[in-house]
Amino acid sequence: MGKEKAIHYVCSHCGHVETKWLGRCPECGSWNTFEEEAIKPQVDTTKVAVMSSGVAPVVLGEVQVDPGYRFFTGISELDRVLGGGVMKGSATLIGGEPGIGKSTLMLQMAALCGQHASVLYISGEESPGQVKLRAERLHLDMAHISIFCDTRLEVLQPILEKAKPQIVIIDSLQTLLSSEIPSPAGSVNQIRACSTALVGLSKQLGISLFLVGHITKEGVLAGPKVIEHLVDTVLSFEETGSGIRMLRALKNRFGSVDELGIFLMGERGLEAVEEPSSFFISQRAGKVAPPGIAYTAVTEGSRTFVVEIQALTVSAKSGYSRVYSDRIDTARVMRVSAILEKHAGLALGQTDIYVNVGGGIKLGEVSIELPLALALWSAYRGVSLPTKLVSFGELSLAGEIRPVGFAPKRVKAAMEMGFEQMLVPKGTKLGKVTNCQIAATMQEAIQKLS
């Protein structure tokens, strides 16, 4: 009888290893994520790229930094999310749903960066002809982009060591393959080993590495979590209901994770949206907004823009009230409605509540609680709020309205969009602002608008 193949089971979400298959991962709690994999043989560590600062430790203050350590991609929204541009020797992982534009964004970046840097585009999913046709459709300059369609680690390593391109794009992470790993491409072992080797090599050679990754049906980045810790930056590409593409940084060692890049897909690829407020505010012919509409100014990193919160309340159809909200956390909507029921006398416990955000953007900061409460109050009472009113503030369970950060920036953005009235918490420092109403509690805010 032949010798049985040694196998184990690996969680595709977190990389946890078990000797037998389990329905639920004891490490991350995910269900049905264990995959059978052959146990890899001992890998020769001499073949793995290792970062080194020299033969002996050095004083950190004496380390010489290249003044050109960061360069621009030519795409303003991408540079914003990356923290001001691409760091030399950095590793960036970008993930998103199929067809959202990850490859398009990388190809556009390659064409622009190719004018001042050497770029190697490694494709494991498309042939050179397919990539060229896409570049021609986008009217991109292809003269400075080198393409290579092979994702075997043993083939890529000598090419990178010899050519030493300044930017390498690998599309995609799940196509990487090493002959030393007895698992198919896309498996946890393959992704872990290949990514570790390529990231180490890129830092050793000063290459800016971009890895394109897929996401699972649950909406999380496919592959073990160890990859996210391995790279310097993790970007998430998502699409809103209005066709707007948003690029967020889930991790960034060289910049803020609060920045938001906004794109619109056009005939020539992804176009940066410099002024996003016009996409998130409905253009109504009438001067008076219908009941249930409230405006607020939100801050994402260095930018502030005005968004529209929409609320609708109807009698509960199933005997008990339910909340429908996918753009604002359902728990937050329920908490705000409970505050209104306790401190404003609204019987929201007998209604179904629907909440939406204009343009499909997801809101998570605490400053939206006051405008959300006003939108619910307006919808329940059937009374329209002032059309030119912008509000922001955090609600306590006692019905108090608390100040939030970046108030001057919020007011400035609202005034630039033509909003003339402000409703802000007591204690907010605004400077010289006219037509501004102050409210300390939820009851006081409603009285000022009644």
Side-chain angles (χ1 to χ4, degrees):
M1 259 180 97
K3 185 178 179 181
E4 292 186 5
K5 182 175 65 172
I7 62 172
H8 58 198
Y9 297 87
V10 183
C11 175
S12 60
H13 279 187
C14 67
H16 182 71
V17 179
E18 289 285 344
T19 57
K20 61 181 181 180
W21 187 88
L22 298 177
R24 185 172 187 265
C25 176
E27 184 69 23
C28 66
S30 302
W31 288 91
N32 299 321
T33 55
F34 277 99
E35 299 177 357
E36 178 184 307
E37 287 191 354
I39 298 178
K40 63 180 180 179
Q42 190 69 27
V43 179
D44 184 1
T45 56
T46 60
K47 297 181 180 180
V48 180
V50 179
M51 291 178 289
S52 175
S53 59
V55 295
V58 295
V59 178
L60 183 59
E62 297 177 358
V63 174
Q64 299 297 321
V65 179
D66 183 2
Y69 65 94
R70 192 189 290 270
F71 57 89
F72 297 111
T73 65
I75 304 175
S76 59
E77 295 299 286
L78 178 58
D79 288 333
R80 181 196 301 273
V81 178
L82 289 174
V86 181
M87 288 285 292
K88 289 185 178 179
S90 64
T92 302
L93 175 61
I94 176 171
E97 296 178 358
I100 198 171
K102 304 184 297 295
S103 299
T104 298
L105 179 63
M106 290 294 97
L107 194 58
Q108 288 182 250
M109 183 194 73
L112 292 170
C113 291
Q115 299 175 8
H116 54 78
S118 55
V119 179
L120 176 59
Y121 190 100
I122 299 173
S123 176
E125 299 180 348
E126 295 179 289
S127 66
Q130 291 174 315
V131 177
K132 181 179 180 180
L133 287 174
R134 180 151 48 89
E136 289 179 342
R137 187 175 69 251
L138 300 175
H139 303 280
L140 300 179
D141 181 8
M142 297 176 284
H144 306 288
I145 305 176
S146 299
I147 186 169
F148 185 70
C149 292
D150 196 324
T151 52
R152 291 174 295 174
L153 181 63
E154 292 76 16
V155 176
L156 295 179
Q157 284 180 318
I159 290 179
L160 297 184
E161 291 173 353
K162 182 179 179 181
K164 296 182 180 178
Q166 293 173 279
I167 300 175
V168 172
I169 300 169
I170 297 181
D171 189 4
S172 67
L173 175 68
Q174 280 74 20
T175 62
L176 292 174
L177 183 67
S178 173
S179 60
E180 296 181 349
I181 309 298
S183 303
S187 64
V188 175
N189 279 343
Q190 288 286 4
I191 292 176
R192 180 191 291 114
C194 295
S195 298
T196 301
L198 289 175
V199 170
L201 184 61
S202 67
K203 291 186 178 295
Q204 189 178 37
L205 300 177
I207 297 172
S208 298
L209 178 67
F210 286 84
L211 299 168
V212 178
H214 302 307
I215 64 171
T216 64
K217 59 182 180 181
E218 290 83 13
V220 299
L221 199 60
K225 285 292 182 182
V226 68
I227 302 304
E228 296 188 18
H229 294 289
L230 182 65
V231 299
D232 302 304
T233 306
V234 179
L235 304 180
S236 175
F237 214 12
E238 57 191 51
E239 182 178 6
T240 68
S242 59
I244 296 291
R245 267 77 164 177
M246 295 187 181
L247 187 66
R248 298 178 184 270
L250 305 181
K251 169 189 175 182
N252 192 352
R253 288 175 178 162
F254 311 119
S256 171
V257 295
D258 297 324
E259 293 290 354
L260 175 68
I262 303 177
F263 298 88
L264 183 65
M265 183 65 80
E267 294 181 358
R268 296 198 173 190
L270 292 164
E271 301 173 0
V273 178
E274 302 290 347
E275 296 295 335
S277 292
S278 58
F279 290 95
F280 302 132
I281 298 179
S282 301
Q283 303 297 324
R284 297 184 174 89
K287 294 184 178 180
V288 179
I293 302 297
Y295 299 101
T296 186
V298 296
T299 299
E300 294 279 357
S302 60
R303 76 196 316 172
T304 305
F305 48 91
V306 179
V307 297
E308 175 184 295
I309 297 178
Q310 307 164 357
L312 174 65
T313 60
V314 296
S315 299
K317 300 179 178 61
S318 56
Y320 61 94
S321 63
R322 291 184 290 181
V323 175
Y324 303 86
S325 175
D326 58 349
R327 301 303 176 184
I328 299 177
D329 184 46
T330 302
R332 171 167 281 152
V333 177
M334 295 175 66
R335 185 170 66 252
V336 170
S337 63
I339 294 172
L340 287 173
E341 190 163 357
K342 176 69 175 178
H343 300 286
L346 303 187
L348 293 174
Q350 304 173 9
T351 63
D352 287 338
I353 299 174
Y354 299 81
V355 174
N356 190 32
V357 180
I361 185 175
K362 291 185 179 180
L363 302 180
E365 59 174 315
V366 296
S367 68
I368 66 170
E369 293 179 353
L370 175 58
L372 174 60
L374 295 179
L376 290 171
W377 173 83
S378 172
Y380 185 84
R381 295 298 188 192
V383 178
S384 296
L385 296 173
T387 305
K388 298 296 184 180
L389 173 70
V390 163
S391 60
F392 51 85
E394 178 187 0
L395 295 184
S396 72
L397 295 182
E400 302 165 321
I401 306 177
R402 297 177 177 177
V404 294
F406 308 107
K409 291 178 61 177
R410 299 177 195 272
V411 172
K412 181 181 178 182
M415 295 179 68
E416 289 176 351
M417 287 295 299
F419 291 88
E420 301 168 352
Q421 286 182 267
M422 306 292 159
L423 180 59
V424 299
K426 184 178 180 181
T428 302
K429 298 179 181 180
L430 297 176
K432 297 181 180 179
V433 178
T434 59
N435 204 5
C436 180
Q437 301 185 64
I438 308 295
T441 63
M442 196 64 234
Q443 300 97 319
E444 187 177 346
I446 292 175
Q447 289 175 2
K448 290 181 179 294
L449 298 176
S450 299

